[in-house]
Amino acid sequence: MMGEPDLIMVRQFLTSLAVSAFFCAATSLAQAQTAAPPAAAPKAAKKDAAKPAAAAPAAPAAATAAAGGAEPTLIGQFGTWGAYSATPNGKKVCFALAKPSSSKTNPPNRPRDPAYAFVSTRPAEKVINEVSIMIGYALKPGSESSLEVAGASYAMYTQGDGLWIKNAAEEERMVDAMRKAADVTVKGISAKGTETVDTFSLKGLAQALDRIAQDCRR
């Protein structure tokens, strides 16, 4: 269950979705000129075989966040991942959200805001399962960040306090690995030089993404 500080961070992320989407689109366009074409969009998700984990019930504070005047709704809690939908400016957005299961800083015990991992789908923009990390601090400009899952490391580009994959053509493969792995590790460096390592449990992510695929169909 997330409290008011968490709600504020979720609201900040949601209200910046449009800006982030524009930035991501511009970056992906530049990458497309040198990288291989992205793989085809994932096939339609199968029906959930298992029911959502009967963990703590959805907290209104976690779901009540404005997104361009819209209010996100928790449509399912699956393990550590909540599946949400919202309709900012009349355009449906769905996302899976989780907080890290463990976080470390070097030097240790440096203060920071809560971190979140998001996997977002925006049908109107033909975006499916876009991975982003809200890291909880201002990242060092030009610094190297990475996401590690199933023995592979993916370079992430930074903007403000957010991380997105550098090579969009690798994102589908990364998400597929996240569906099957136990956890994912995200590394970053703050503007003040603090190194961070966040580990997110991936328990329930596959089910959350399947639920989102159902809810965000056009």
Side-chain angles (χ1 to χ4, degrees):
M1 184 177 293
M2 291 185 282
E4 189 61 26
D6 297 336
L7 167 61
I8 293 172
M9 298 304 297
V10 174
R11 182 180 294 114
Q12 290 173 343
F13 174 83
L14 290 171
T15 53
S16 66
L17 257 179
V19 175
S20 298
F22 176 81
F23 186 87
C24 291
T27 303
S28 297
L29 180 61
Q31 292 167 343
Q33 296 175 357
T34 55
K43 296 179 181 178
K46 296 180 181 178
K47 270 191 174 182
D48 296 348
K51 294 181 180 179
T64 310
E71 205 173 85
T73 301
L74 179 68
I75 56 178
Q77 183 70 39
F78 303 87
T80 58
W81 291 80
Y84 292 82
S85 68
T87 313
N89 302 316
K91 296 180 180 180
K92 195 157 193 177
V93 174
C94 298
F95 58 92
L97 173 155
K99 296 175 68 174
S101 53
S102 69
S103 297
K104 297 178 182 179
T105 65
N106 183 24
N109 303 319
R110 289 297 178 92
R112 58 188 289 204
D113 291 329
Y116 289 98
F118 293 83
V119 184
S120 307
T121 290
R122 300 187 294 278
E125 300 170 34
K126 298 182 180 179
V127 171
I128 299 175
N129 292 342
E130 177 190 73
V131 176
S132 56
I133 310 295
M134 189 169 65
I135 205 73
Y137 57 78
L139 288 147
K140 183 178 181 180
S143 63
E144 292 294 325
S145 296
S146 65
L147 184 152
E148 299 174 4
V149 60
S153 180
Y154 298 87
M156 308 291 283
Y157 75 82
T158 64
Q159 180 192 20
D161 66 347
L163 303 174
W164 291 265
I165 193 168
K166 275 188 175 182
N167 185 356
E170 294 182 336
E171 191 156 51
E172 185 178 359
R173 179 161 59 92
M174 182 174 73
V175 171
D176 186 59
M178 290 172 65
R179 278 177 166 271
K180 301 170 184 176
D183 54 47
V184 62
T185 300
V186 179
K187 297 180 180 180
I189 302 175
S190 77
K192 296 181 178 180
T194 300
E195 298 176 358
T196 63
V197 178
D198 294 298
T199 300
F200 294 85
S201 168
L202 296 174
K203 181 180 179 181
L205 175 62
Q207 293 89 340
L209 294 183
D210 288 346
R211 182 67 180 86
I212 285 170
Q214 292 176 6
D215 203 73
C216 252
R217 284 178 184 162
R218 290 183 61 85

